[in-house]
Amino acid sequence: MNCIKSTMSYVCRLAFIAALTLSLIVSAVTTIAKTPKHHITIITDTQLKAFEGIYQLKENEFRVYKLVADGDKLVAQQLGGDQKLILTRKSDLKFELMDDDGDEKIPVVFSKNEAGEISQISLGGRQTFIKIKSYTPPKEVQLKPDQIKVLAGKYQSDERADLFITITAIPNGLTLKQSWDGKEINFKPLSDVLFLNQAFGFPLKFTKDASGNTVKVLAFNRDTWNKVKE
């Protein structure tokens, strides 16, 4: 959740939570936190159980976490990925999340709806996760080789002319290679124009012209890359 330093440089560069780096979760201290000299009491009206549930990134429907109470903590497990995060409670609705390097604290603020129920999360003041009732994981589809090959090629950043990605067709999928560091990321098809790296919650959405030629790709629902004519 954005952007917690991602393991993938592409995710970090584009402010993706890592990836989230990306993402949420709660170590809730509901009792007295002791220091050598002081006693700090966190006053809470909301029970830790009230925060449990499934939360989906508003800007990217493939970035989803399940929050559960574990003792005095809230633990967030990424659905479809391996990321597990812990949030520490600072007040009734405010928590803290350590980034992947453990050297930065990221504020996590919960909000309630008119009925007084937890309804969403603000991560670092940049990303919003909405609490949803249920989540159905995306399903892969089988494509013909020609449907995948038409997407392959070199793409240039719409914002920075010096940045490129190269997309290569592989058996039932795509590989994206970053020009700036050589890193490669694999994707599986969800349709003939939508591909996903589920571990990172990283979608690629392609656009074709009237003739069926690929002209651009949208990465992470936010960054446009234009196909280079060769």
Side-chain angles (χ1 to χ4, degrees):
M1 305 162 70
N2 190 114
C3 206
I4 308 169
K5 298 175 184 175
S6 171
T7 56
M8 307 300 297
S9 64
Y10 176 75
V11 177
C12 294
R13 185 190 64 76
L14 299 178
F16 309 129
I17 298 200
L20 184 161
T21 53
L22 315 234
S23 304
L24 273 181
I25 304 3
V26 185
S27 163
V29 180
T30 57
T31 56
I32 298 175
K34 296 183 178 181
T35 64
K37 296 182 179 181
H38 304 285
H39 296 279
I40 301 174
T41 302
I42 298 175
I43 300 175
T44 60
D45 295 322
T46 308
Q47 295 295 316
L48 202 58
K49 281 283 184 181
F51 297 95
E52 291 188 331
I54 300 172
Y55 295 81
Q56 184 177 53
L57 182 60
K58 185 177 180 181
E59 299 83 5
N60 180 1
E61 67 271 28
F62 301 109
R63 195 75 179 177
V64 184
Y65 293 83
K66 183 178 181 179
L67 274 63
V68 296
D70 182 11
D72 64 348
K73 303 178 186 298
L74 265 177
V75 178
Q77 176 64 55
Q78 181 188 357
L79 299 185
D82 298 328
Q83 190 176 35
K84 181 181 287 187
L85 305 170
I86 296 177
L87 290 99
T88 302
R89 200 169 197 173
K90 308 305 292 183
S91 66
D92 190 39
L93 298 177
K94 294 181 180 180
F95 294 76
E96 278 184 350
L97 170 66
M98 297 299 296
D99 69 357
D100 289 345
D101 294 335
D103 59 2
E104 182 181 352
K105 294 179 180 178
I106 300 172
V108 180
V109 182
F110 288 80
S111 299
K112 294 183 178 181
N113 57 25
E114 293 181 356
E117 302 168 330
I118 299 295
S119 59
Q120 67 180 41
I121 301 168
S122 172
L123 180 66
R126 300 178 185 178
Q127 289 187 320
T128 300
F129 285 77
I130 305 299
K131 191 173 185 179
I132 58 178
K133 293 182 179 180
S134 62
Y135 176 68
T136 301
K139 294 183 179 180
E140 296 179 15
V141 301
Q142 297 292 321
L143 298 179
K144 297 178 181 179
D146 288 346
Q147 290 178 293
I148 300 176
K149 280 185 178 180
V150 71
L151 307 173
K154 187 175 183 179
Y155 293 78
Q156 183 179 39
S157 171
D158 196 46
E159 296 184 354
R160 287 186 55 177
D162 61 327
L163 296 180
F164 296 87
I165 56 176
T166 300
I167 294 177
T168 306
I170 58 176
N172 197 34
L174 296 170
T175 294
L176 180 155
K177 185 174 182 179
Q178 304 167 166
S179 66
W180 54 94
D181 62 2
K183 291 286 181 64
E184 296 184 351
I185 309 170
N186 292 329
F187 297 80
K188 294 293 185 181
L190 302 184
S191 77
D192 62 334
V193 293
L194 176 60
F195 286 68
L196 177 69
N197 178 291
Q198 194 167 29
F200 289 97
F202 183 173
L204 290 176
K205 297 180 180 179
F206 293 87
T207 298
K208 298 179 181 180
D209 61 19
S211 300
N213 300 310
T214 307
V215 294
K216 61 183 176 181
V217 62
L218 182 66
F220 255 110
N221 289 349
R222 62 173 14 165
D223 299 291
T224 299
W225 299 77
N226 300 304
K227 193 169 187 179
V228 177
K229 294 182 179 181
E230 298 179 309

